[in-house]
Amino acid sequence: MINESVLRSIRFIKSAKDLKGCPAPDLPEVAIAGRSNAGKSSFINALGLSLVAKVSGRPGKTRLLNFFLIGDHYRLVDMPGYGYAARSGAEVESWRQMVESYLALRGSLQGLVLIMDIRRQWTAQEQELVDWVSQRSMPVVVVLNKADKVGNNEKAKVLRDLKAKAVGVSQVFVVSASKRLGVTEVEEFVFKNWIKQRHGGEA
Ligand code: GDP
């Protein structure tokens, strides 16, 4: 049997600075959020390597919504990172406006993948984002990245703490984007539970 993921590929489509610039909402979408430096770009690139095609031509733009097509089934939407301490109030506000309007108004959105550095604490900012999304009845999974940086005991402790603190998260994955470990499993979960089941998408 051919693995479903082999029949999928990932390709950069376009960037948008606001909702008006987004592609027509004719395919389901999955948003990827995370603090700056959590490894969102690395995660998407690792996925590109495991899903047949390489992610090429990906713009280094951090303030835009970047759209990637996965096979013919759905799009991943890489959202601008949050949490740069150096950012001004106006910059934070423009980030908030873009992200909140996308999350609130994009009818094709199916769920959120929140990428975190496994060494960072779950804060009110992460919980706020999850609350925002779950209020709209959309599922959230957390991806703890940079697992290669911690030992097994630390991993177990982080998972325990996260389960105690994070409210409204349906699944937690532990991955290493740079070592390409666990990345495909996240995509498979998203495809199976958020795309295929709800849309009857065939692989
Ligand atoms: P983004 O700002 O969320 O897009 O983060 P990047 O993908 O640019 O990654 C930020 C930094 O973390 C870079 O220096 C990456 O090489 C590093 N990084 C990303 N993923 C991993 C990982 O799984 N393990 C380790 N050790 N470093 C990683």
Side-chain angles (χ1 to χ4, degrees):
M1 196 180 104
I2 299 172
N3 186 322
E4 282 177 343
S5 69
V6 174
L7 300 173
R8 297 205 290 284
S9 60
I10 176 168
R11 184 159 66 87
F12 173 72
I13 303 295
K14 70 177 294 192
S15 299
K17 68 172 171 23
D18 52 27
L19 270 183
K20 278 190 300 213
C22 294
D26 51 1
L27 278 180
E29 284 173 358
V30 170
I32 302 190
R35 218 167 259 281
S36 307
N37 237 28
K40 289 191 302 114
S41 312
S42 306
F43 177 82
I44 291 171
N45 281 319
L47 205 53
L49 290 171
S50 52
L51 291 187
V52 186
K54 287 189 185 181
V55 175
S56 57
R58 178 183 149 72
K61 311 266 171 47
T62 52
R63 308 293 177 76
L64 300 169
L65 298 163
N66 293 307
F67 291 83
F68 296 86
L69 183 64
I70 309 288
D72 297 326
H73 307 290
Y74 71 107
R75 298 189 194 105
L76 283 181
V77 185
D78 180 20
M79 300 206 297
Y82 60 92
Y84 260 136
R87 282 198 181 153
S88 68
E91 281 175 307
V92 172
E93 198 40 48
S94 86
W95 174 86
R96 182 180 286 277
Q97 258 179 29
M98 178 203 257
V99 167
E100 287 186 355
S101 63
Y102 175 80
L103 293 178
L105 302 173
R106 187 72 168 165
S108 44
L109 187 60
Q110 306 301 311
L112 179 82
V113 175
L114 173 55
I115 300 193
M116 287 182 72
D117 185 325
I118 195 166
R119 299 164 299 178
R120 286 196 79 122
Q121 294 287 319
W122 183 261
T123 71
Q125 248 177 324
E126 278 77 32
Q127 191 59 55
E128 199 186 318
L129 191 58
V130 173
D131 290 345
W132 179 266
V133 172
S134 17
Q135 272 162 22
R136 283 155 186 80
S137 307
M138 276 184 290
V140 178
V141 297
V142 170
V143 172
L144 299 172
N145 184 35
K146 310 194 188 183
D148 55 289
K149 288 283 192 186
V150 299
N152 284 338
N153 288 346
E154 180 66 11
K155 268 181 225 166
K157 182 182 178 311
V158 171
L159 280 171
R160 254 197 329 273
D161 287 354
L162 192 71
K163 278 179 188 147
K165 280 194 209 151
V167 179
V169 170
S170 40
Q171 188 96 10
V172 181
F173 295 89
V174 177
V175 313
S176 167
S178 53
K179 298 211 180 302
R180 301 214 295 276
L181 293 172
V183 168
T184 315
E185 285 80 350
V186 179
E187 194 280 330
E188 279 170 359
F189 176 90
V190 162
F191 177 68
K192 184 163 173 268
N193 294 282
W194 298 355
I195 309 297
K196 198 176 176 188
Q197 264 183 21
R198 285 195 232 167
H199 300 270
E202 284 166 23

Coordinates of all heavy atoms in Angstrom, one line a residue, residues 34-43 58 62 78 81 84 115 119 145-149 175-180, ligand 1:
G34 N 3.3 30.7 16.0 CA 4.4 30.4 17.0 C 5.2 31.7 17.3 O 5.1 32.6 16.5
R35 N 5.8 31.7 18.4 CA 6.7 32.7 18.8 C 7.8 32.8 17.7 O 8.2 31.8 17.1 CB 7.4 32.4 20.1 CG 7.6 33.4 21.1 CD 7.9 32.8 22.4 NE 6.7 32.8 23.3 CZ 6.3 33.9 23.9 NH1 6.9 35.0 23.9 NH2 5.2 33.8 24.7
S36 N 8.4 34.0 17.5 CA 9.5 34.2 16.6 C 10.6 33.3 17.1 O 10.9 33.2 18.3 CB 10.0 35.6 16.6 OG 8.9 36.5 16.3
N37 N 11.3 32.5 16.2 CA 12.4 31.7 16.6 C 12.0 30.3 17.1 O 12.9 29.5 17.5 CB 13.3 32.4 17.6 CG 14.7 32.5 17.1 OD1 14.9 32.5 15.9 ND2 15.7 32.5 18.0
A38 N 10.7 30.0 17.2 CA 10.3 28.7 17.6 C 10.6 27.6 16.6 O 10.7 26.4 17.0 CB 8.7 28.7 17.9
G39 N 10.8 28.0 15.4 CA 11.1 27.0 14.3 C 10.0 26.8 13.3 O 10.0 25.7 12.7
K40 N 9.2 27.8 13.1 CA 8.1 27.6 12.1 C 8.7 27.4 10.7 O 8.2 26.5 10.0 CB 7.2 28.8 12.1 CG 6.4 28.9 13.4 CD 5.2 29.9 13.3 CE 5.7 31.3 13.1 NZ 5.3 31.8 11.8
S41 N 9.7 28.2 10.3 CA 10.2 28.1 9.0 C 10.9 26.7 8.9 O 10.7 26.0 7.8 CB 11.3 29.1 8.7 OG 10.8 30.4 9.0
S42 N 11.6 26.3 9.9 CA 12.3 25.0 9.9 C 11.3 23.9 9.8 O 11.6 22.9 9.1 CB 13.2 24.9 11.1 OG 14.0 26.0 11.3
F43 N 10.2 24.0 10.5 CA 9.2 23.0 10.5 C 8.6 22.8 9.0 O 8.5 21.7 8.5 CB 8.1 23.4 11.4 CG 6.9 22.4 11.4 CD1 7.0 21.2 12.2 CD2 5.8 22.7 10.7 CE1 5.9 20.3 12.2 CE2 4.7 21.8 10.7 CZ 4.8 20.6 11.5
R58 N 10.5 30.1 -0.7 CA 9.8 30.6 0.4 C 10.3 32.0 0.8 O 11.5 32.1 1.1 CB 10.0 29.6 1.6 CG 9.3 30.1 2.9 CD 9.6 29.2 4.0 NE 9.6 29.9 5.3 CZ 8.6 30.4 5.8 NH1 7.4 30.3 5.3 NH2 8.7 31.0 7.0
T62 N 8.5 37.9 7.5 CA 7.9 37.5 8.7 C 6.6 38.2 9.1 O 5.9 37.8 10.0 CB 8.9 37.7 9.9 OG1 9.3 39.0 9.9 CG2 10.1 36.8 9.8
D78 N 1.3 30.0 7.1 CA 2.3 30.3 8.1 C 2.1 31.8 8.5 O 2.1 32.7 7.7 CB 3.7 30.2 7.3 CG 4.8 30.5 8.2 OD1 4.7 30.5 9.4 OD2 5.9 30.8 7.7
G81 N 5.3 35.5 13.2 CA 5.7 35.1 14.6 C 5.3 36.2 15.6 O 5.3 37.4 15.2
Y84 N 8.5 39.2 19.8 CA 9.7 39.9 19.7 C 9.7 41.0 20.7 O 8.9 42.0 20.6 CB 10.0 40.5 18.3 CG 10.9 39.7 17.5 CD1 10.5 39.5 16.1 CD2 12.1 39.2 17.9 CE1 11.4 38.8 15.3 CE2 12.9 38.5 17.1 CZ 12.5 38.3 15.8 OH 13.4 37.6 15.0
I115 N 3.4 26.1 17.2 CA 4.8 25.6 17.3 C 5.5 26.4 18.5 O 5.5 27.6 18.5 CB 5.5 25.7 16.0 CG1 4.8 25.0 14.9 CG2 7.0 25.3 16.2 CD1 5.5 24.7 13.7
R119 N 11.9 24.3 25.1 CA 12.5 24.8 26.3 C 11.8 26.0 26.9 O 12.2 26.6 27.9 CB 14.0 25.2 26.0 CG 14.8 24.0 25.5 CD 16.1 24.3 24.9 NE 15.8 25.1 23.7 CZ 16.8 25.7 22.9 NH1 18.0 25.5 23.2 NH2 16.5 26.4 21.9
N145 N 8.9 21.9 19.5 CA 10.0 21.8 18.6 C 11.4 21.9 19.3 O 11.4 22.2 20.5 CB 9.9 22.8 17.5 CG 11.0 22.7 16.4 OD1 11.4 21.5 16.1 ND2 11.5 23.8 15.9
K146 N 12.5 21.5 18.6 CA 13.8 21.5 19.2 C 14.0 20.4 20.3 O 14.7 20.6 21.2 CB 14.2 22.9 19.7 CG 14.0 24.0 18.7 CD 14.6 25.3 19.0 CE 14.2 26.4 18.1 NZ 14.8 27.7 18.3
A147 N 13.3 19.3 20.1 CA 13.4 18.2 21.0 C 14.8 17.7 21.1 O 15.2 17.1 22.1 CB 12.4 17.1 20.6
D148 N 15.6 17.9 20.1 CA 17.0 17.4 20.1 C 17.8 18.2 21.2 O 18.9 17.8 21.5 CB 17.7 17.6 18.7 CG 17.5 19.0 18.2 OD1 16.4 19.5 17.9 OD2 18.5 19.7 18.2
K149 N 17.3 19.3 21.7 CA 18.0 20.1 22.7 C 17.8 19.6 24.1 O 18.4 20.2 25.0 CB 17.5 21.5 22.6 CG 18.0 22.2 21.3 CD 19.5 22.6 21.5 CE 19.9 23.6 20.4 NZ 21.4 23.8 20.5
V175 N 8.8 17.2 18.4 CA 9.5 17.1 17.2 C 10.9 17.8 17.2 O 11.1 18.6 18.1 CB 8.7 17.7 16.0 CG1 7.2 17.3 16.0 CG2 8.8 19.2 15.9
S176 N 11.6 17.4 16.2 CA 12.9 18.2 15.9 C 12.8 18.6 14.4 O 13.0 17.7 13.6 CB 14.1 17.4 16.3 OG 15.2 18.1 15.7
A177 N 12.6 19.8 14.2 CA 12.5 20.2 12.7 C 13.9 20.1 12.1 O 14.0 19.6 11.0 CB 12.0 21.6 12.6
S178 N 14.9 20.4 12.8 CA 16.2 20.4 12.2 C 16.7 19.0 11.9 O 17.4 18.7 11.0 CB 17.3 21.2 12.9 OG 17.3 20.8 14.2
K179 N 16.3 18.0 12.8 CA 16.6 16.6 12.5 C 15.5 15.9 11.8 O 15.6 14.7 11.5 CB 16.9 15.9 13.9 CG 18.1 16.5 14.6 CD 18.8 15.5 15.4 CE 20.0 16.0 16.2 NZ 21.0 16.7 15.4
R180 N 14.5 16.6 11.4 CA 13.3 16.1 10.7 C 12.7 14.9 11.4 O 12.3 13.9 10.8 CB 13.7 15.7 9.3 CG 14.2 16.9 8.5 CD 13.8 16.9 7.1 NE 14.4 15.8 6.3 CZ 15.6 15.8 5.8 NH1 16.4 16.8 5.9 NH2 16.0 14.8 5.1
Ligands
GDP1 P1 10.8 30.9 13.1 O1 11.2 32.3 13.4 O2 9.8 30.3 14.0 O3 10.5 30.7 11.6 O4 12.1 30.0 13.4 P2 13.3 29.3 12.4 O5 12.8 28.2 11.7 O6 13.9 30.4 11.7 O7 14.3 28.8 13.5 C1 14.9 29.6 14.5 C2 16.2 29.0 14.9 O8 16.0 27.8 15.6 C3 17.1 28.7 13.8 O9 18.4 29.0 14.2 C4 17.0 27.2 13.5 O10 18.1 26.6 13.0 C5 16.7 26.7 15.0 N1 15.9 25.5 15.0 C6 14.7 25.3 14.4 N2 14.3 24.1 14.6 C7 15.2 23.5 15.4 C8 15.3 22.1 15.9 O11 14.4 21.3 15.8 N3 16.4 21.9 16.7 C9 17.4 22.9 16.9 N4 18.4 22.5 17.7 N5 17.3 24.1 16.4 C10 16.2 24.4 15.6

